[in-house]
Amino acid sequence: MIDLTLRMNYADVFDFDKFHEAFRQMLASAKGDECIKLESWIESRPDLWKDYDLTLSSKIASVLEVEVYDQYELSSDPDDNIFIPKAKKEELHKQPVQTIRGLVKDFLEAHPEEPQKLLDILAYVNLHNKKPTTRRNLQSSLCQDKEVFIHFDNETWGLCSIPYDGYMKRVKARYLKGRKKGEDGYFYDPNANKVCEDSSIVYSAVQTELRTQDFELRYSTKREHKPTEFFTKALSNSSTLDLGLGYFSSACFNVLACGFAHFVKNVGRMRMYINPNITEEDYNLLKNGDYVGFEDYMLNSYDKLLQIFSHRDKLFFQCLSYLIANNRIEIKIVLLKESGIAHEKFGIFTDFYDNKVAFNGSMNLTAAGLTRNIEAIDCVCSWHNEEAKKRIKCYQDDFDSIWNGQNQDVLVYSADEFCRKIVEKYPTENVDELIRLENEVMEEIAKEEAESAFDEPYFPKKFKDGPRQYQIDAYEAWAKRGKQGVFAMATGTGKTITSLNCALEEYKDDGFYHLLILVPSLALVEQWGNEVANFNYRNIIKVSSENHRWKQDVMQVVTKMRCGRNVNYVIISTYQSFVMQDFQVLLSKLSEGTLLIADEAHNIGSASVRQAFHRLTIKRRIALSATPNRIYDEEGTREIESFFNDTHPYTYSFSMRRAIREERLMPYHYFPYLAKLEESEMEEYARITRQLVQLYNGSKGGFSDPERARKLLLVRKNILHKARNKMDVFRQIIQEIGEDKLKYCFVYSAAGKRTRSDEADDEAIDEYILKQMQCILKYTFPNTTCNSYTGVDSKAMRKHKLEAFANGQLNVLFAKNCLDEGVDVPRAEYGIFTSSTGNPRQFIQRRGRLLRKHDDKRFAWIYDIIVVPDFSSPYYERRFWTMEKHLVENEMRRVANFGSLASNYYTGALDTLDEVISFYDIDLNGMVLNEDE
């Protein structure tokens, strides 16, 4: 079967039916056992071409290969040669094949009394054709040969060579039924405009029907369904149009270029008023009754427009000229009585059967082009419901009120001289020539849209179903809150994609994108750069210590914008670079229309970033964080909420519990292990604790010297972080996992700051502890590969290590705190937390690293070393208990939250901690973070 949809792209340059006639003649004269190459053969036959364009021969040949195989059962070899066996040659001699259009012609010639219904024609063709065709393919085939076939409506076809006199008389009677002839020779519908001239009715025109088209509720140049689609459908399928244009400009004309020639051919009729954008001086001419002066102004404006007309503008005026010359259009000029512009941009299309489609919109008709600027229109169809009919009647009443001079706020003038000028400049008599020009314009628009689509951002193609519902919900919630807010989303739930989808939706409305993305680390600069590129955003500028050209790149954007150019850009900066004076100076010039995305937004609470944010003038803001609350920093938390005009439960929340339940993240098992301080550590720990007890005011529930107490608490917490007993517990954990399973494993080693001057360098101690754990691993399992991942590694080295870990070359990766934010390694399956932290941000981030989905992963396994003071030690004093309870509770907060979502929570996951929980009388259930569903 011939698929005519494949032919449509080349029907204007190549005659496919003529090819088959020639191909059969060639086969009939062939000797057999021969090979031909279709591409070379059609290139040697210019008589088969309507427009001899050899650049298309390869593509046309690919279409023909399918048809040759389908009709003659001949196939090509790997070199595209078609082999003709002798037996096939003999068969072709015996069975000549009739073309589809040949069969249709035979059928129509056998019924000359009247045109035939398409379904009857289809039945005849399929009865006599070797391969059946479809209604759509048949209709497309007939449309390609307008010199032979003519269609009277979508379902009735005839031959141009047959007059069909009896049929035309019946059509004329039906068409004029109920209409009255006026003194001017036109026939009028009592409830509508003049519809036709008695002496020049073209009865071969299509009886249009709008309701056969699928109209969308909204069309936009930045969405799938564009205004060009709407106007093509509406103009090609309507017989009258009432149009009100708010501006007299080039762009408003090319909006209507799509389908206008078909409207002309369908004997369409129009009423149109235009509102020129005039100066106050010209407006006063009209107020003083000097219409002649104003008409001169209009003609002068028209002459200026001629100098900038595009191909499609000229097509519009050629169609307009034809309608004017044939008395099928009326044009009026309207102005508000008070100086201004009539912003109505709407129209009402009506078809042969009185179906109506009305449109209005925020079309930017002052723009110079259609496809590269935001145009948006809404439409309503009369056949949908009674409410739609009422809305269309309102549009019609509004138009008639202005047209008939009944609107008291509007001045209405004729445009006779203006129309004469158009006919003089664009004399047009050949409707078929208009159709040809329109086809060229449509090809031009299709090319523009294709080029535009190449540069336009889009939702990443790897997500075949587009954005998930929760990502759509997040955008809608953000838009409702004035386009400011916090997305409190669990690590691994797609915060990055969700925020970039918001930017994409804004682009669809704005027509441009200006993005500023702030991140806490160099690793995240690279990660965001990759995600932004997946959305096809261009002009990505990375502001960090690793890009020494960022100033020049940003300055280029500033310079272009100062020159009035529309520049799209995405700036990705670390918070550290963001606060620099050089960047702040340039940023002040880029704030207009910018969307700010602050990743890991809890970093904003730091003093330097906070100051920079106070100077921001960017209106649209999104904060991303799994943990918007800054632990121990209520003021910082309030600042974050203030910057983004949001408070708990925040604009959009996606909890860890929900993510696991909906299988966005992996389920996991949780195993806590106790490690107690050794005697020497307990001695130092008790010494600091006694100082804290002296500062503690039990009645007020606080410290008398908060700053000194804070420093002491941090020192004491560091002792717990660096507890030496962790080594034995670490050895116990890896032995329980086993060498064969110890793969894709993260180990978070100690991380903490030393504050006492008499202690060794904290970085050196951290490095020593990390090396000790690596030695324990190598001693226990010599064949297990491992390495460290630290901040001192170069970017290339960090990337290499993560890739080696992901593909299984590295079994275990030791890290301090540089895996807390942004590093994405979905293959990670085991996590050993040896670094105690009560900071929800840190433990939530670390858990999130392990719970990302991967095809080869079914569960994640978390082993957590909990360090507590040894309350059986002689250095432990009972008076420590009240204050110690707060510290242990802080450590147990992580345990409570890890345990509450673990798959083994109800099978004794936390039993190993019973001794500590009982001693300090801790309520684990009350510590679980309040996660909104």
Side-chain angles (χ1 to χ4, degrees):
M1 181 178 69
I2 296 173
D3 186 350
L4 291 172
T5 58
L6 293 177
R7 291 184 173 185
M8 292 302 292
N9 291 332
Y10 314 108
D12 291 337
V13 296
F14 190 81
D15 192 325
F16 287 88
D17 285 344
K18 197 170 184 179
F19 160 81
H20 283 288
E21 292 176 5
F23 191 75
R24 283 193 299 274
Q25 292 174 6
M26 184 272 296
L27 291 176
S29 61
K31 297 178 181 180
D33 292 330
E34 297 163 318
C35 286
I36 66 166
K37 191 169 185 177
L38 275 180
E39 182 177 352
S40 300
W41 194 74
I42 64 175
E43 287 179 352
S44 68
R45 295 293 302 269
D47 58 307
L48 304 181
W49 296 73
K50 299 177 182 177
D51 182 5
Y52 195 47
D53 185 355
L54 297 186
T55 62
L56 298 175
S57 58
S58 176
K59 295 179 180 178
I60 293 173
S62 66
V63 176
L64 292 174
E65 284 178 7
V66 177
E67 297 186 6
V68 166
Y69 174 77
D70 194 42
Q71 291 200 36
Y72 314 113
E73 299 180 1
L74 298 175
S75 58
S76 59
D77 64 13
D79 296 322
D80 294 330
N81 294 312
I82 295 178
F83 175 71
I84 307 173
K86 288 183 178 180
K88 177 58 62 179
K89 173 182 178 295
E90 294 171 0
E91 181 182 335
L92 291 168
H93 273 300
K94 296 176 183 177
Q95 298 180 358
V97 179
Q98 175 70 292
T99 65
I100 289 178
R101 278 183 255 172
L103 289 170
V104 174
K105 186 176 180 182
D106 289 345
F107 180 72
L108 293 174
E109 287 176 342
H111 299 83
E113 65 280 358
E114 65 179 8
Q116 298 297 303
K117 293 297 182 182
L118 187 66
L119 290 179
D120 294 334
I121 300 172
L122 179 64
Y124 178 85
V125 169
N126 286 339
L127 180 65
H128 294 83
N129 200 26
K130 181 179 179 181
K131 299 282 186 177
T133 188
T134 65
R135 175 183 175 279
R136 178 183 177 185
N137 285 345
L138 175 61
Q139 192 173 28
S140 299
S141 179
L142 299 181
C143 286
Q144 292 177 43
D145 199 344
K146 297 174 183 176
E147 295 180 359
V148 175
F149 301 102
I150 185 171
H151 59 126
F152 296 85
D153 58 38
N154 290 335
E155 299 296 329
T156 308
W157 289 79
L159 292 173
C160 293
S161 58
I162 300 176
Y164 300 111
D165 293 335
Y167 177 77
M168 298 310 296
K169 290 178 181 179
R170 292 194 297 276
V171 170
K172 177 178 178 180
R174 182 170 67 248
Y175 188 65
L176 298 180
K177 184 179 180 181
R179 307 182 192 273
K180 297 180 179 180
K181 186 174 181 180
E183 295 180 358
D184 55 3
Y186 290 94
F187 281 82
Y188 288 86
D189 185 323
N191 300 313
N193 312 320
K194 62 186 179 185
V195 295
C196 60
E197 288 181 276
D198 186 22
S199 60
S200 59
I201 299 175
V202 185
Y203 297 107
S204 61
V206 176
Q207 295 176 17
T208 58
E209 187 170 6
L210 288 164
R211 67 184 302 159
T212 61
Q213 304 299 309
D214 294 325
F215 286 101
E216 302 295 323
L217 294 176
R218 185 171 177 81
Y219 294 84
S220 169
T221 52
K222 298 305 178 184
R223 298 184 182 273
E224 179 182 358
H225 299 284
K226 302 182 177 357
T228 51
E229 175 188 339
F230 168 76
F231 285 110
T232 301
K233 288 181 177 180
L235 283 165
S236 300
N237 292 278
S238 59
S239 54
T240 66
L241 168 61
D242 286 341
L243 178 66
L245 289 181
Y247 292 97
F248 180 69
S249 68
S250 173
C252 73
F253 307 142
N254 65 53
V255 168
L256 289 164
C258 309
F260 202 9
H262 281 83
F263 178 81
V264 171
K265 186 171 184 178
N266 294 345
V267 201
R269 309 196 68 83
M270 279 183 68
R271 294 189 301 175
M272 178 176 72
Y273 69 71
I274 55 178
N275 173 225
N277 186 10
I278 65 175
T279 65
E280 185 174 354
E281 180 181 353
D282 295 315
Y283 175 75
N284 288 330
L285 289 175
L286 292 176
K287 291 188 70 174
N288 297 326
D290 186 4
Y291 181 68
V292 175
F294 175 70
E295 195 167 35
D296 291 340
Y297 164 82
M298 280 291 298
L299 296 176
N300 183 55
S301 297
Y302 172 69
D303 289 336
K304 289 180 180 178
L305 277 174
L306 291 180
Q307 300 172 18
I308 61 169
F309 273 1
S310 69
H311 192 195
R312 66 191 70 158
D313 296 329
K314 292 176 182 177
L315 170 62
F316 172 82
F317 274 93
Q318 285 177 307
C319 291
L320 208 61
S321 173
Y322 187 93
L323 292 177
I324 294 170
N326 287 274
N327 297 315
R328 284 163 46 194
I329 188 171
E330 289 183 85
I331 302 175
K332 293 185 179 181
I333 299 167
V334 301
L335 287 145
L336 295 179
K337 287 186 178 179
E338 295 300 325
S339 180
I341 299 173
H343 286 284
E344 294 91 352
K345 293 172 277 288
F346 69 92
I348 305 99
F349 293 93
T350 307
D351 68 11
F352 184 82
Y353 302 98
D354 207 35
N355 298 304
K356 295 179 183 293
V357 174
F359 77 91
N360 73 81
S362 57
M363 295 190 296
N364 181 19
L365 297 181
T366 57
L370 173 64
T371 59
R372 293 188 180 274
N373 295 279
I374 282 293
E375 308 278 347
I377 59 172
D378 298 312
C379 81
V380 57
C381 305
S382 63
W383 58 90
H384 283 174
N385 51 48
E386 288 301 319
E387 178 65 26
K389 291 181 180 179
K390 291 179 181 178
R391 288 181 60 191
I392 291 176
K393 186 178 184 304
C394 288
Y395 288 130
Q396 190 68 65
D397 290 346
D398 288 345
F399 182 92
D400 290 341
S401 174
I402 293 174
W403 186 263
N404 297 324
Q406 297 168 345
N407 188 316
Q408 300 301 313
D409 299 322
V410 174
L411 299 170
V412 182
Y413 302 91
S414 66
D416 295 340
E417 188 62 22
F418 176 67
C419 291
R420 187 195 62 77
K421 186 84 171 181
I422 292 174
V423 174
E424 178 184 298
K425 182 67 179 179
Y426 292 107
T428 307
E429 297 180 359
N430 191 335
V431 176
D432 289 334
E433 176 65 13
L434 295 179
I435 295 292
R436 187 189 67 78
L437 292 174
E438 183 176 285
N439 290 335
E440 291 181 3
V441 166
M442 295 304 292
E443 290 178 5
E444 180 184 305
I445 291 174
K447 183 179 179 181
E448 285 182 12
E449 290 179 348
E451 291 174 353
S452 177
F454 178 77
D455 292 330
E456 289 182 356
Y458 49 74
F459 200 83
K461 295 179 180 178
K462 64 180 179 180
F463 303 106
K464 296 181 181 179
D465 297 327
R468 298 182 185 273
Q469 186 58 50
Y470 73 86
Q471 292 165 334
I472 297 172
D473 293 343
Y475 171 71
E476 291 176 350
W478 177 71
K480 286 179 181 178
R481 290 185 60 91
K483 299 182 180 178
Q484 294 184 347
V486 176
F487 291 175
M489 301 175 67
T491 301
T493 56
K495 296 189 294 292
T496 302
I497 302 298
T498 302
S499 63
L500 288 177
N501 182 60
C502 291
L504 181 61
E505 291 299 317
E506 290 297 284
Y507 165 76
K508 291 176 181 178
D509 288 333
D510 295 341
F512 65 87
Y513 54 86
H514 299 165
L515 301 184
L516 171 61
I517 301 169
L518 302 180
V519 298
S521 66
L522 293 173
L524 275 172
V525 170
E526 295 304 314
Q527 184 177 314
W528 270 90
N530 294 334
E531 293 293 357
V532 164
N534 287 337
F535 273 78
N536 203 37
Y537 289 112
R538 306 299 181 90
N539 198 17
I540 303 169
I541 303 171
K542 298 175 182 178
V543 180
S544 72
S545 58
E546 296 189 350
N547 178 18
H548 301 296
R549 281 189 48 83
W550 71 262
K551 291 180 186 177
Q552 295 95 308
D553 293 340
V554 175
M555 196 62 223
Q556 273 189 345
V557 172
V558 172
T559 302
K560 289 177 181 179
M561 293 180 70
R562 281 178 173 174
C563 295
R565 295 178 59 182
N566 186 15
V567 184
N568 292 321
Y569 62 82
V570 179
I571 298 175
I572 308 173
S573 171
T574 60
Y575 285 102
Q576 184 177 0
S577 298
F578 166 71
V579 301
M580 293 189 306
Q581 182 64 26
D582 288 347
F583 184 77
Q584 287 294 307
V585 170
L586 291 172
L587 179 61
S588 63
K589 308 176 189 304
L590 296 172
S591 296
E592 185 69 27
T594 298
L595 167 59
L596 167 68
I597 300 175
D599 193 20
E600 309 296 355
H602 38 267
N603 291 278
I604 296 172
S606 64
S608 58
V609 178
R610 209 181 299 176
Q611 291 174 4
F613 257 73
H614 278 300
R615 295 190 294 269
L616 273 181
T617 58
I618 297 173
K619 302 298 183 184
R620 293 183 286 189
R621 306 179 182 186
I622 298 175
L624 305 177
S625 181
T627 55
N629 290 321
R630 284 175 61 88
I631 193 71
Y632 309 131
D633 186 4
E634 292 183 4
E635 181 183 355
T637 299
R638 287 195 300 271
E639 289 276 23
I640 294 172
E641 294 178 344
S642 174
F643 289 143
F644 293 94
N645 192 28
D646 207 354
T647 57
H648 188 271
Y650 302 116
T651 295
Y652 191 77
S653 298
F654 199 117
S655 69
M656 181 76 72
R657 184 182 303 278
R658 174 186 168 190
I660 294 173
R661 184 180 67 239
E662 295 182 6
E663 299 183 352
R664 309 282 184 206
L665 297 177
M666 299 298 302
Y668 66 94
H669 292 288
Y670 177 60
F671 304 98
Y673 288 75
L674 272 180
K676 295 183 179 180
L677 295 178
E678 294 181 350
E679 285 301 299
S680 60
E681 293 168 331
M682 272 302 302
E683 181 179 6
E684 177 65 7
Y685 184 88
R687 184 181 67 80
I688 297 173
T689 303
R690 281 192 288 271
Q691 296 179 51
L692 286 167
V693 169
Q694 292 174 357
L695 294 173
Y696 189 72
N697 187 330
S699 61
K700 294 183 178 180
F703 294 100
S704 58
D705 187 344
E707 181 59 25
R708 182 168 177 239
R710 186 186 67 81
K711 293 178 180 179
L712 290 172
L713 285 168
L714 288 174
V715 171
R716 194 176 67 161
K717 186 173 70 172
N718 287 343
I719 296 174
L720 296 172
H721 278 323
K722 313 297 181 180
R724 290 185 289 271
N725 200 26
K726 286 182 179 180
M727 298 302 172
D728 292 333
V729 177
F730 174 69
R731 181 183 294 106
Q732 178 188 349
I733 290 172
I734 61 175
Q735 287 174 338
E736 291 184 8
I737 295 173
E739 184 174 14
D740 58 331
K741 294 183 179 179
L742 193 60
K743 299 174 181 178
Y744 305 111
C745 176
F746 277 144
V747 178
Y748 283 92
S749 64
K753 296 292 184 182
R754 300 291 182 175
T755 57
R756 288 175 62 89
S757 59
D758 58 342
E759 295 201 33
D761 179 73
D762 57 300
E763 291 297 331
I765 293 177
D766 286 348
E767 187 67 22
Y768 171 77
I769 292 173
L770 189 148
K771 294 294 184 184
Q772 282 291 98
M773 288 186 172
Q774 287 180 312
C775 288
I776 291 172
L777 174 63
K778 295 302 293 182
Y779 180 81
T780 308
F781 299 134
N783 296 322
T784 299
T785 57
C786 67
N787 210 321
S788 61
Y789 184 93
T790 66
V792 298
D793 292 331
S794 67
K795 180 174 72 173
M797 180 57 70
R798 290 197 301 269
K799 181 180 179 182
H800 175 71
K801 289 180 178 179
L802 287 177
E803 289 175 350
F805 178 82
N807 62 33
Q809 292 175 289
L810 277 179
N811 301 136
V812 180
L813 196 60
F814 288 85
K816 289 189 283 188
N817 57 1
C818 44
L819 281 174
D820 281 352
E821 293 177 333
V823 178
D824 187 11
V825 187
R827 191 63 188 91
E829 193 165 331
Y830 287 89
I832 303 176
F833 294 179
T834 71
S835 173
S836 300
T837 175
N839 188 329
R841 175 180 64 81
Q842 288 185 335
F843 68 67
I844 288 174
Q845 292 282 352
R846 294 176 182 182
R847 177 175 58 177
R849 298 278 83 76
L850 289 163
L851 302 192
R852 296 182 185 272
K853 300 276 287 186
H854 191 279
D855 291 341
D856 297 326
K857 189 164 72 173
R858 295 295 174 267
F859 269 97
W861 310 77
I862 298 176
Y863 296 84
D864 193 4
I865 300 177
I866 316 300
V867 182
V868 295
D870 184 359
F871 45 78
S872 63
S873 167
Y875 293 106
Y876 189 89
E877 301 177 20
R878 184 62 187 178
R879 62 179 179 146
F880 294 171
W881 187 90
T882 301
M883 191 169 58
E884 286 301 295
K885 174 180 171 68
H886 293 300
L887 182 139
V888 176
E889 281 180 336
N890 197 42
E891 187 77 356
M892 289 297 163
R893 186 176 290 110
R894 177 177 78 256
V895 173
N897 282 278
F898 276 21
S900 65
L901 299 182
S903 298
N904 60 334
Y905 178 67
Y906 295 104
T907 56
L910 308 184
D911 289 352
T912 56
L913 306 178
D914 284 347
E915 179 186 10
V916 175
I917 293 171
S918 175
F919 181 80
Y920 287 106
D921 190 23
I922 293 173
D923 176 19
L924 285 182
N925 291 331
M927 293 181 173
V928 177
L929 291 175
N930 178 25
E931 289 194 321
D932 300 299
E933 292 296 316

